[in-house]
Amino acid sequence: MTSKQRVVVIGGGMAGARLVQQLGRSADALGRPRHSVTVIGEERHPPYNRVLLAEVLAGQYTPEVIALPAPGPEVRRLAGVRAVRVDRAERRVVCDDGSVAEYDALVLATGSNPVLPPIRGLFDDSPAGGPDDGLPDGVHPFRTLDDCAALAAAAGPATRAVVIGGGLLGVSAARALAARGVSTVLAHQGEHLMERQLDAGASTLLRTHLTGLGVEVHTECRVRGLGTGRDERTGRRAVRSVTLADGYALGADLVVLACGVRPRTGLAQAAGLTVARGVVVDDELRTDDPRIFAIGDCAEHRGTVYGLAGPAQEQADALAAVLDAAPLDAAVPETAGAPRTGRRYTGTRALTRLTLTGPGPLDLAAFGETEPQPDDDVVHLADATRGAYRKVVVRGDRLVGGILLGDLDTVGALARTWEGDEPLPSAPLLHLLTNDGGL
């Protein structure tokens, strides 16, 4: 056993970067670092704020602006390297370049992969095949800084783009492309945009805003396939059109896949760890191997996979406290069980927030349960002229959810009340939506 706890973090995204930052603040009684940290990341870029990728695509920020604090020189960083195997018996991680990282504690912060929809033409399944077997040129997910750079390089005033998926990611990508002057169509299979966060009324205002930006929005619209052709210069397949379920074809030079994400659990599964939707962890973010932890998009805690930046950061903070409280040593039992340190992560009350630029910037926030139960009280204010929409759901003396669009002066107080699960004041419920929430 070395004098420092050897912590290996697989994943260089926001969750992993936050954990490394917190561990870097930990020192023993003599002021020496308590942890020897190795970070294994597939991206060559330094860590960055993934939430702001749409601002980079829109041309409002440069990649340097969204960079996260760099780890200290004592952190060993393996960039552009993929972990391919976890050897639990020998407590080491094997990488695709042949390098090996030994650990006392291993943290899986592997994030998530974009979902590729089952549409014809996405992959070349012809008998003859071709010089490429991946996505056609012009078709991009929107998940990484490299995805963002590729889209920005291809976008221009004469470009025709189709964004497939009208969730948070698709809406962000559509408005960013429109801001670059790209002729943009947003195709969404659901009844209304961002149905996971918004109700029909709020979604209508969002759609109006996007239309004002020049985005053509289609809901209840399933994409059936892609039309492709061979690029004369490269010989590679390139997208030419998008065909909808009714047979209508949209000309397209760019296609953005924004159909959701799926936790990256392959490494954990291959290592024999318990995986459901994500890598299953307890209140110490510990898997069923007591030396292996998981945080961020890949982790499933109490049946929930959050897939949001806020919970990922809270999990990283909680895990840093766990690792600081009880560094692993040879005495740690090799079976999972009840929390050993007294440090616990009990879940996150996550708030979704989005700012849309353009004619009359639009702020959006949604949190908690936005669909009321029979005995709930609902406070609802809407002003289509001002593009404002406010709705909160109250159960007893507790705020359980809300949707806010437009002027968000009230969101701070409402979010604090909801996150803290605090009792509401005795003032009329209408005050929740006026004068900074009336709180």
Side-chain angles (χ1 to χ4, degrees):
M1 178 70 185
T2 61
S3 57
K4 297 179 183 178
Q5 182 185 38
R6 298 170 301 176
V7 180
V8 173
V9 182
I10 302 179
M14 294 180 69
R18 176 68 169 233
L19 175 64
V20 172
Q21 182 184 28
Q22 297 296 78
L23 291 178
R25 297 172 178 168
S26 177
D28 62 17
L30 299 177
R32 298 172 301 190
R34 298 182 65 193
H35 309 284
S36 172
V37 180
T38 298
V39 180
I40 302 171
E42 292 184 28
E43 294 189 66
R44 295 190 178 277
H45 305 284
Y48 56 88
N49 187 343
R50 201 180 303 274
V51 174
L52 297 177
L53 280 178
E55 311 306 323
V56 176
L57 179 56
Q60 296 181 346
Y61 295 157
T62 64
E64 293 75 21
V65 170
I66 70 169
L68 297 174
E74 70 281 357
V75 175
R76 179 190 180 201
R77 182 170 178 264
L78 304 179
V81 174
R82 184 167 61 91
V84 295
R85 184 166 61 90
V86 175
D87 186 335
R88 292 168 55 187
E90 297 294 329
R91 298 210 301 269
R92 63 178 189 168
V93 178
V94 181
C95 301
D96 60 353
D97 66 349
S99 60
V100 173
E102 297 180 337
Y103 65 85
D104 301 309
L106 173 64
V107 181
L108 303 177
T110 49
S112 55
N113 283 327
V115 172
L116 302 181
I119 57 179
R120 292 201 299 267
L122 192 60
F123 295 100
D124 189 356
D125 54 2
S126 64
D132 59 290
D133 56 3
L135 298 175
D137 287 351
V139 178
H140 303 271
F142 185 42
R143 187 65 182 161
T144 69
L145 196 54
D146 285 339
D147 296 334
C148 189
L151 283 167
T159 306
R160 302 166 300 173
V162 177
V163 179
I164 302 176
L168 178 63
L169 191 63
V171 167
S172 299
R175 64 95 175 172
L177 289 170
R180 298 186 73 97
V182 175
S183 175
T184 305
V185 175
L186 178 58
H188 183 52
Q189 187 169 329
E191 292 184 5
H192 60 262
L193 299 176
M194 290 184 62
E195 68 267 20
R196 291 184 59 185
Q197 293 88 14
L198 305 183
D199 61 12
S203 181
T204 297
L205 287 181
L206 175 59
R207 180 170 184 159
T208 299
H209 180 84
L210 290 173
T211 301
L213 292 175
V215 178
E216 182 180 333
V217 180
H218 296 269
T219 53
E220 299 183 89
C221 169
R222 186 172 61 84
V223 172
R224 187 172 69 187
L226 303 180
T228 62
R230 291 288 171 185
D231 185 281
E232 294 181 355
R233 294 178 297 105
T234 65
R236 292 172 54 87
R237 286 192 313 139
V239 68
R240 298 285 185 261
S241 63
V242 173
T243 304
L244 306 180
D246 62 3
Y248 184 72
L250 300 166
D253 308 298
L254 277 178
V255 172
V256 180
L257 304 176
C259 305
V261 295
R262 181 176 294 116
R264 295 185 65 179
T265 60
L267 200 61
Q269 285 182 309
L273 301 175
T274 299
V275 172
R277 290 173 55 227
V279 183
V280 176
V281 296
D282 62 15
D283 287 357
E284 286 187 331
L285 290 314
R286 196 187 304 265
T287 69
D288 42 10
D289 183 321
R291 293 184 179 271
I292 302 180
F293 305 80
I295 58 174
D297 288 7
C298 71
E300 179 176 333
H301 175 260
R302 297 188 183 182
T304 299
V305 177
Y306 289 99
L308 296 170
Q313 292 185 333
E314 288 191 18
Q315 289 173 1
D317 292 348
L319 180 54
V322 168
L323 295 177
D324 282 344
L328 297 176
D329 55 31
V332 171
E334 295 300 322
T335 58
R340 301 164 176 80
T341 66
R343 311 284 179 153
R344 298 172 66 89
Y345 170 75
T346 57
T348 300
R349 296 169 72 83
L351 180 145
T352 298
R353 187 156 187 177
L354 176 67
T355 297
L356 300 173
T357 58
L362 181 70
D363 282 331
L364 177 158
F367 55 92
E369 301 177 42
T370 58
E371 290 299 324
Q373 295 181 5
D375 293 332
D376 291 343
D377 292 311
V378 179
V379 187
H380 187 188
L381 296 177
D383 186 342
T385 302
R386 299 174 58 191
Y389 184 97
R390 301 180 180 184
K391 169 186 171 181
V392 293
V393 180
V394 177
R395 186 169 302 151
D397 65 348
R398 293 296 194 274
L399 179 65
V400 297
I403 300 172
L404 305 172
L405 272 82
D407 182 6
L408 296 191
D409 287 343
T410 63
V411 70
L414 288 173
R416 288 191 297 272
T417 300
W418 172 70
E419 290 172 347
D421 195 25
E422 302 170 3
L424 295 171
S426 57
L429 293 179
L430 185 62
H431 285 232
L432 288 171
L433 301 182
T434 58
N435 301 322
D436 198 25
L439 302 174

